[in-house]
Every structure is written in C-alpha cells, then in structure tokens.
C-alpha cells in the first residue's frame, strides 16, 4: 500500500502474511517503509526458525 499527502510525498506501507494451515494470515500491517517491512520479515523469520 502507499499514500500520498498534499505535498505529493509518498509513503509506502507494508503488511506481513504467513501461510498457516492452508490459509493466508496477516501477522502485521501498517509498517511504514520498505526497509522497516523487510526488517520485520527477517525478525519474524529468525524468531520462528527452530
């Protein structure tokens, strides 16, 4: 997702999904910026690894 304000500044928002039991489940949403979203995916992946 992305939004744009009156000054035409564009902000990108991300969400993180996981497949659980054959269903797509939203884990996190409204993460501001691609870097923050990618860092969240890495954090979650690292946490879930055995």
């Amino acid at each position: 997702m992305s939004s744009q304000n009156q000054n035409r500044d564009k902000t990108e928002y991300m969400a993180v999904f996981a497949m659980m039991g054959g269903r797509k489940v939203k884990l996190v949403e409204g993460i501001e910026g691609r870097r923050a979203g990618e860092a969240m995916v890495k954090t979650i992946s690292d946490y879930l690894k055995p």
Side-chain angles (χ1 to χ4, degrees), residues 16-27 48:
V16 178
F17 293 87
M19 291 299 292
M20 300 174 74
R23 301 179 97 185
K24 191 174 180 180
V25 178
K26 188 184 308 181
L27 300 177
L48 295 175

Side-chain angles (χ1 to χ4, degrees), residues 4-20:
Q4 198 169 38
N5 66 14
Q6 293 173 339
N7 296 331
R8 302 224 184 253
D9 296 326
K10 185 177 178 182
T11 303
E12 187 174 47
Y13 295 94
M14 297 183 70
V16 178
F17 293 87
M19 291 299 292
M20 300 174 74

